[in-house]
Each structure stands twice: as structure tokens, then as C-alpha cells.
Amino acid sequence: TLRQPVVLRAALPRFASLKDDFDAAVMVHNHTGKDAAFIVGARATGVSWHDTFAREVNIPDGAGREVRFRVQANKPGRATFQFAARVKGTKDVLESDAVQLSIPINLPATLEAFATYGSTTGSVSQPIAAPKDALPGFGGLNVSMMSTALIGMEDAVRYLYRYPYGCAEQVASRLLPMAVF
């Protein structure tokens, strides 16, 4: 059994979404053999702070306290949090600890897709409007055109063609949609 005098454990959500406000917390455990005041500090990338970067907390010997810092996820990717704590007034390295942890910051977006089809002998225009609640700097426009109505079916055809089980029923079931395509 190994027990350090000061132990930190990060208490973060498993993930956050862009613009989420949440508490980045750390558990500070005191095993120094005495009641002590701790200086607990935090820093992070990928989030903005609603709080101070350091706190002072009193923890009795053998107890633990959660220290929370309010943050907001401000860009998608990964947010990395670093927490450090030491007994106030000491320079002893054994009476300090640090921990680092990263979580993903997800982009809460859904893809929007639509299709226009028909036949023409002249030109056709299709008006496109950007969604009102689109996030600036994210997303895009992809246009695909095909001479048949099978556009976007490539993955389905590939799945039918490569279906791994080959008994008579599956082979026959695979042939019917291929004939229709």
C-alpha cells in the first residue's frame, strides 16, 4: 500500500460540448498527520475561466475536500486541466501533489442533408440558405450530382456486395437489390 501525504484526484466530466458551463473539480486528500491549510491551483487549455485560479482550503488530517473551479468550453477539441496543491507555508515536496487530465470538447452539431431530383432539358437553380443557428467557422457545403437517383447509395451497395455470410438465402437476398440498382 502506498499513501502519499497529499493526494489529488481530478473530478471532471467525461466530455463537454461547446459553450457548456461546468465545474472542473479536484479532490484533495490530506494524509500529512495534521490538520492543514492547502493552496489549490488550477490551469487549463481549451476552456475559459469564470473563477479564480487558486483557492485556500482547510482540510483535517485523514479527510478530503472537493475544490471546484467554474469554466466554460470555448473551442472544440480537447481541454487539458492541471491541478496542484501544497500545504500552505511549506516548501516540502512531499506535502504537495499535482494531476493532469484531458477531456474532449464536442461540437454539438447535426448534419443537415436534402436532395432535389427530377428531369430537365434546360437549366435548374436550387436556392440554398445557411441555417440561422449555424456556428461561425464550422460546417460547410458539399454538392454531389449524378445522372441517376442512386446518389448517396454507394455505401449501401458496397455493404450488399461485401456481405460476409454466403448461404443461399443471403446470396439471393443480395441479388434482388443489385438487380433493382
Side-chain angles (χ1 to χ4, degrees):
T1 302
L2 175 68
R3 185 167 70 180
Q4 296 176 193
V6 178
V7 177
L8 296 186
R9 287 185 306 132
L12 297 170
R14 288 183 299 126
F15 65 90
S17 293
L18 188 65
K19 302 298 181 196
D20 277 356
D21 285 317
F22 61 95
D23 288 334
V26 63
M27 286 293 298
V28 183
H29 297 276
N30 179 6
H31 301 289
T32 59
K34 62 184 182 245
D35 296 350
F38 287 83
I39 304 293
V40 182
R43 66 181 178 179
T45 59
V47 295
S48 57
W49 291 86
H50 294 308
D51 235 329
T52 59
F53 299 107
R55 300 261 172 68
E56 185 174 324
V57 60
N58 293 314
I59 304 174
D61 181 43
R65 291 276 192 293
E66 185 177 53
V67 180
R68 296 171 175 257
F69 299 91
R70 195 77 180 152
V71 297
Q72 182 182 48
N74 59 7
K75 67 179 187 177
R78 291 200 72 79
T80 301
F81 295 86
Q82 295 176 335
F83 300 99
R86 67 176 172 81
V87 174
K88 184 177 178 182
T90 185
K91 301 277 187 205
D92 188 357
V93 173
L94 292 177
E95 292 189 339
S96 66
D97 194 19
V99 65
Q100 177 175 312
L101 191 66
S102 293
I103 63 169
I105 306 295
N106 299 326
L107 185 62
T110 57
L111 296 176
E112 200 172 301
F114 67 93
T116 300
Y117 58 93
S119 61
T120 183
T121 57
S123 64
V124 175
S125 71
Q126 174 64 53
I128 300 172
K132 292 178 179 65
D133 57 351
L135 297 170
F138 298 99
L141 173 66
N142 294 325
V143 177
S144 300
M145 292 188 275
M146 187 176 268
S147 61
T148 70
L150 294 178
I151 191 158
M153 299 297 289
E154 298 90 358
D155 290 337
V157 172
R158 190 176 302 113
Y159 176 76
L160 284 173
Y161 183 72
R162 294 183 180 163
Y163 190 71
Y165 306 105
C167 74
E169 182 182 352
Q170 278 88 12
V171 171
S173 296
R174 180 169 47 188
L175 290 176
L176 185 61
M178 293 291 211
V180 171
F181 285 148

